[in-house]
Amino acid sequence: MEIDKAMRESDDQRLKTMYNNAINVIQRALSLYKFEEVAFSFNGGKDSTVLLHLLRAGYFLHIEKPEYPNDNPANCNVKCPIRTIYFETPSTFPEINSFTHETATTYGLQMETIRLDFKSGLEALLKEKPTKAIFLGTRIGDPNAVGQEQFSPSSPGWPPFMRVNPILDWSYRDVWAFILTCKIQYCSLYDKGYTSIGSIYDTVPNSFLCTNDSSSNKDYFKPAYLLADGRLERAGRAKRYSPLASEGGPVASNGPNSVESHQNSTLTASVITVGDEILWQMLYELHMDDN
């Protein structure tokens, strides 16, 4: 299996540790729940793309011994037919939509596209086919990560399921180190300066990746993996023009002082409390909010 082989051959000890920890979480979940009782929330962002390939590796290691015929990982290109849920909205980037569907086809994901808000869609989904655990690409620092652990029950008032967060403690650097080490395909927006992708209304290229081509005297954006300071990952999350805004409404420039905003549009946000945990349970924060 090419992912596991690439990681075993890597000299990046930190990344290997993060990989092994994530695989342990996945294998634990696959031991606790039947395969048909788990699902994967995929949104085409970098974090859920990393999680997809960790699931492929974890599934492979769960069902087989990591042996490589003729030392060729392509001979062990196991697909992971996990139930996959994708919440698609009119404000999703076309590049994200295309990448998500192409990836699902490539890796044989049993993907179900839902065009409802996250809570309503989830309720309908679980009613149709009972699901006990959902793998999420949540990382520390995400708006919805407060109070979460690798295994966290869903909040009161929501359908009951276990949130499984294999990459909860991964950094921005870890995410890109894994993608580049394993030569994983990712959404083309990341090569255009986007470092954190939400909706078309709250996402712009990260200004810290903007540079000037001296030969043409034109500005361009470097790829997301060249962002040196992972703390600036969400610097590209700024309010953009929306059809709902007044004519000629302002477009905020992105940068360290820009205010993180979410376009309400037809979405409904709700605040849910779990002990000391206060979550903005909203589509773009729980699922569509990149990763």
Side-chain angles (χ1 to χ4, degrees):
M1 199 279 165
E2 82 283 4
I3 299 298
D4 187 63
K5 188 172 189 294
M7 290 308 308
R8 290 191 300 116
E9 295 175 349
S10 173
D11 294 327
D12 189 331
Q13 293 304 314
R14 172 183 166 83
L15 183 60
K16 294 177 78 167
T17 298
M18 304 305 286
Y19 170 77
N20 290 330
N21 290 343
I23 292 296
N24 286 338
V25 172
I26 291 169
Q27 291 186 309
R28 182 182 172 193
L30 295 178
S31 296
L32 290 172
Y33 307 102
K34 296 178 181 178
F35 191 71
E36 59 269 20
E37 295 176 337
V38 300
F40 164 45
S41 180
F42 186 48
N43 66 9
K46 63 184 184 302
D47 297 339
S48 63
T49 297
V50 164
L51 180 53
L52 163 62
H53 292 282
L54 288 171
L55 284 170
R56 291 181 58 238
Y59 178 69
F60 167 73
L61 295 171
H62 183 68
I63 63 174
E64 296 185 26
K65 293 182 179 180
E67 298 176 353
Y68 306 99
N70 302 322
D71 201 35
N72 183 357
N75 293 335
C76 288
N77 189 18
V78 176
K79 292 187 177 182
C80 182
I82 189 171
R83 187 184 193 197
T84 303
I85 51 180
Y86 173 51
F87 286 79
E88 182 178 314
T89 76
S91 55
T92 302
F93 279 90
E95 294 89 343
I96 286 288
N97 271 335
S98 298
F99 174 76
T100 301
H101 289 284
E102 290 169 3
T103 301
T105 300
T106 299
Y107 296 106
L109 302 178
Q110 304 300 309
M111 193 168 81
E112 301 174 40
T113 301
I114 299 174
R115 295 177 177 87
L116 300 171
D117 66 271
F118 193 85
K119 187 175 182 181
S120 299
L122 197 56
E123 288 173 342
L125 197 72
L126 299 188
K127 184 177 181 180
E128 172 192 346
K129 185 176 181 181
T131 301
K132 294 185 177 180
I134 300 179
F135 290 99
L136 300 168
T138 301
R139 289 192 293 117
I140 293 296
D142 289 347
N144 64 304
V146 178
Q148 287 207 49
E149 298 179 359
Q150 290 174 328
F151 288 83
S152 291
S154 57
S155 304
W158 282 67
F161 66 94
M162 182 65 71
R163 292 175 288 189
V164 184
N165 303 308
I167 62 170
L168 187 65
D169 56 350
W170 283 42
S171 67
Y172 183 83
R173 177 264 180 198
D174 297 329
V175 167
W176 281 109
F178 180 79
I179 289 173
L180 297 176
T181 297
C182 298
K183 297 180 173 61
I184 293 170
Q185 289 190 334
Y186 52 85
C187 179
S188 61
L189 289 174
Y190 292 110
D191 283 335
K192 300 176 181 178
Y194 291 84
T195 53
S196 176
I197 302 172
S199 81
I200 59 175
Y201 300 129
D202 69 0
T203 308
V204 294
N206 194 320
S207 61
F208 289 97
L209 288 173
C210 185
T211 189
N212 183 268
D213 183 350
S214 56
S215 60
S216 63
N217 197 31
K218 292 183 179 180
D219 290 339
Y220 70 96
F221 289 90
K222 295 181 290 186
Y225 57 80
L226 293 180
L227 183 67
D229 189 345
R231 293 173 298 179
L232 301 175
E233 174 183 359
R234 297 179 67 84
R237 303 302 290 275
K239 178 175 279 189
R240 301 177 67 181
Y241 171 78
S242 160
L244 299 180
S246 59
E247 186 71 16
V251 177
S253 62
N254 61 336
N257 297 319
S258 64
V259 178
E260 300 271 340
S261 61
H262 295 273
Q263 186 65 283
N264 289 330
S265 185
T266 57
L267 300 177
T268 300
S270 58
V271 179
I272 298 174
T273 305
V274 186
D276 293 330
E277 175 186 6
I278 299 179
L279 300 179
W280 275 90
Q281 292 286 10
M282 184 174 171
L283 176 61
Y284 292 118
E285 289 187 339
L286 185 55
H287 181 80
M288 295 301 296
D289 184 26
D290 173 55
N291 291 337

